[in-house]
Amino acid sequence: MSARPARRRAPQQERSRQMVERIVTAGREVLVAHGYDGASTNRIAAAAGISPGSLYQYFPDKDAVVGEVLGRYLDDLETRVSRAFLEAVPARDVADAVHATVVALLDVIGEQPDLHRVLAEQLPRTAGGRRVAFARRIDELATMALLGRGVPPERARVTAWTVVRTVEHVTTSYILERPGFDREVVVAELTRLVTTHLGGSAPGVS
Amino acid sequence: MSARPARRRAPQQERSRQMVERIVTAGREVLVAHGYDGASTNRIAAAAGISPGSLYQYFPDKDAVVGEVLGRYLDDLETRVSRAFLEAVPARDVADAVHATVVALLDVIGEQPDLHRVLAEQLPRTAGGRRVAFARRIDELATMALLGRGVPPERARVTAWTVVRTVEHVTTSYILERPGFDREVVVAELTRLVTTHLGGSAPGVS
Amino acid sequence: MSARPARRRAPQQERSRQMVERIVTAGREVLVAHGYDGASTNRIAAAAGISPGSLYQYFPDKDAVVGEVLGRYLDDLETRVSRAFLEAVPARDVADAVHATVVALLDVIGEQPDLHRVLAEQLPRTAGGRRVAFARRIDELATMALLGRGVPPERARVTAWTVVRTVEHVTTSYILERPGFDREVVVAELTRLVTTHLGGSAPGVS
Amino acid sequence: MSARPARRRAPQQERSRQMVERIVTAGREVLVAHGYDGASTNRIAAAAGISPGSLYQYFPDKDAVVGEVLGRYLDDLETRVSRAFLEAVPARDVADAVHATVVALLDVIGEQPDLHRVLAEQLPRTAGGRRVAFARRIDELATMALLGRGVPPERARVTAWTVVRTVEHVTTSYILERPGFDREVVVAELTRLVTTHLGGSAPGVS
DNA sequence: AATGAATGAGTGTTCATTCAT
DNA sequence: AATGAATGAACACTCATTCAT
């Protein structure tokens, strides 16, 4: 009653955190293995080794679980891509900025390609909005960068929008389709495509 | 039950064809109005004016109906885009070919944007394969065109693949996101992006 | 195709009516045996010898089934009690009218005492309103009768209300409690109680 | 664990009694606020400021808690009504006795009308028996009173039973239905109804 | 062929009760 | 004693599919 008052609750919170972790992990597995429609709460609970009722101690409903799984992935994706983009833009030339962004994106997607597939193919209203919202954020950053390079506002917006969609989907397609060529090749190709369009000096063809 | 055995089949096939037609049309309406999850077989049958049981006389299961709806849409899309591409490639320069293809694609998508949205956002493994298959066909054609222009084989393949994915997804995004700028602007932007990359003379900025 | 066009649908409707009947009967049994809370849709369906899904072909939800069971009972009760009351009031003296009403009420309740018990003890918002509404209807009729006999309006309302509640609950209690005396004895007692209060000549004590 | 074994029990019992008190109070609040179906054990425990598990240290199951809440209410009701009845019967005339009893009953019910409503409308077998048991006790007292006034035994029993049910339900209905007239009016009406029936001199109409 | 009633496994969710701590 | 996380059977309801007519 006197020794460790402040740390009293820690074990409980730790336990709780672990349960959330187990459920999220199980949710991710089930989502990847069975798709959104097949990701029933009972299946997720079973995969987490808990009873269906326990799941509801930690999440208010099914979509909250799925939302957490996707949310974490998107948090990671957004953080890393944003950072790559923001770090690359000011210092170096266009080619380097594009290259860094593409690589960051491929890194993230490549770590959980199956999850990204579900996200890309079945985004069930849960995550669709977020993806678009992030794309718009990047749109704005890219627009700013273009304005800084003297591109007229209207053109800047269109160009930014187009280029962002291009990078987003070409990287996604590379992971999902697994075409027969190496990652570096796509990176180079995509970088060149975007860089040229943005009017920077194209990187040499490797 | 005995009179005209030989002529029997034709009318029956005709009737059968009409039923399939009604079901597919109903399926499309329901899919667009209620999404994939809301497209229950009962709802489709009701919209077609038939009984749920009859639907199974013509389609083995729900996904077959959905598949047929999407299949026809993709048939149309593929036919028109292929034609635009094939007609444009030989005669004119790169910019024209790209422009014609982009316009054809936007035309098709624009005619049934809601259906395309369902296809793009909810395609539940039903249609994913077909879309990729068509993209690969266009990949090959584009590769051929590049080879004809002296591009080395490996580069040709990568460039074709990248450009095809770019056009596919930027057009789709334009329809689904409804960003604030005019269609002609995107067409010009996308055409310029692709044309420049392919090494053709970029079209003048309108 | 020509012989019996008008009667075509009859068998189907008949079948449908029978299913409704089976479900209502099963619902009544389950309600009586397990109470409102124990009357699960699965249990009712099983008692009716059908699948849970089939129940929903005939009723939109659980309360509709329960409502139908209780509704039919209350329809019967209201019809017979109203008739007894209305037929007795004009022609004969007060004692006869009261007597006829009490007998009618005991007849109806006595036919399905267990159902009446559920109704009286667990009326789960489903039927509560109806019971009160019917009581109010009788209130009005009784008030009218009293006004016709020269009772001042305010007194008439209170007296009618009191007497109606008395008859309603004493009869219900007799069925539910099964006290040790004969039905005729309660009928006589209740008739005398009410008749005296209404100022009529009390019937002789049997 | 060894020091004061003999005095241990008293404080514990006190503590235990307090816990029971808190649970019963919480149970009453929840019962009134959410009805029987909404009175989950978790909700009651939360309202009592204890954990769901602790509740089971003091009560074997949910119905025991509800039973205790209703039991206490009925204890109060029985005590006060019995006293009013017993005090009134010997000394004064019939009208006064009935009047005193009716007033006592309305007092008790009026103090916790919402609880009485739950008791009357949703008593899930938990309390039904007790209510009947109390009514029977009053039956006996009333029968005795009637026998003392020279009424033949069989008649006395029936009359007592009838009158007790009448008073019980008319008062309850007055609280639950909230008809438009004042309490004194019902008291007068009910007193007159019963008194007349018992053969006493009816009180003057106020 | 066509019907549409019937099916039944499945869904997301709740809650009285238990039990390891 | 007290906790509160964990349980799991049960609930109302859905829908792709089947089958007797």
Side-chain angles (χ1 to χ4, degrees), chain D residues 12 15 51-54 58:
Chain D
Q12 294 228 30
R15 207 169 139 50
S51 66
S54 291
Y58 300 96

Side-chain angles (χ1 to χ4, degrees), chain D:
Chain D
M1 266 218 185
S2 55
R4 302 162 308 218
R7 302 172 72 192
R8 194 58 161 296
R9 200 132 217 138
Q12 294 228 30
Q13 284 183 352
E14 170 58 17
R15 207 169 139 50
S16 175
R17 210 186 50 74
Q18 282 180 12
M19 286 293 292
V20 168
E21 235 40 46
R22 285 172 65 179
I23 294 167
V24 169
T25 301
R28 181 157 44 228
E29 288 167 10
V30 172
L31 213 45
V32 164
H34 299 99
Y36 179 78
D37 283 355
S40 73
T41 49
N42 278 5
R43 190 123 68 176
I44 294 172
I50 62 171
S51 66
S54 291
L55 190 149
Y56 285 84
Q57 199 90 38
Y58 300 96
F59 293 91
D61 58 22
K62 174 182 165 172
D63 279 350
V65 179
V66 174
E68 184 65 18
V69 171
L70 297 183
R72 289 178 179 218
Y73 173 68
L74 290 175
D75 283 345
D76 184 35
L77 186 148
E78 294 180 11
T79 304
R80 287 161 67 181
V81 171
S82 292
R83 182 182 306 140
F85 185 81
L86 291 170
E87 285 177 355
V89 164
R92 289 167 277 175
D93 68 354
V94 177
D96 284 354
V98 172
H99 185 269
T101 307
V102 168
V103 165
L105 203 39
L106 281 171
D107 279 349
V108 178
I109 301 177
E111 282 169 18
Q112 304 195 61
D114 294 334
L115 182 59
H116 196 87
R117 181 184 297 276
V118 171
L119 167 65
E121 291 183 349
Q122 309 177 28
L123 71 143
R125 35 217 152 274
T126 311
R130 266 218 54 183
R131 219 174 56 190
V132 171
F134 177 57
R136 296 240 164 96
R137 250 176 64 206
I138 302 294
D139 286 352
E140 287 166 12
L141 296 177
T143 304
M144 295 291 285
L146 287 173
L147 290 175
R149 305 180 88 244
V151 178
E154 179 58 19
R155 276 263 350 229
R157 280 187 55 234
V158 175
T159 299
W161 184 88
T162 306
V163 162
V164 169
R165 299 304 166 290
T166 298
V167 171
E168 176 188 2
H169 286 118
V170 170
T171 48
T172 294
S173 291
Y174 177 70
I175 300 292
L176 300 191
E177 282 189 40
R178 301 198 169 284
F181 28 84
D182 288 344
R183 197 180 110 141
E184 297 84 49
V185 178
V186 210
V187 171
E189 182 76 14
L190 190 50
T191 302
R192 200 169 61 81
L193 169 64
V194 171
T195 305
T196 312
H197 187 60
L198 295 180
S201 57
V205 179
S206 63

Side-chain angles (χ1 to χ4, degrees), chain C residues 82-96:
Chain C
S82 292
R83 182 181 306 140
F85 186 81
L86 290 170
E87 284 177 355
V89 165
R92 289 166 278 176
D93 68 354
V94 176
D96 284 353

Side-chain angles (χ1 to χ4, degrees), chain B residues 1 14 22 31 47 49-51 57-58 65 75 97 108 128 131 150 205:
Chain B
M1 265 220 186
E14 170 58 18
R22 285 172 65 178
L31 213 44
I50 63 171
S51 67
Q57 199 90 40
Y58 300 95
V65 179
D75 282 347
V108 178
R131 220 173 57 188
V205 179

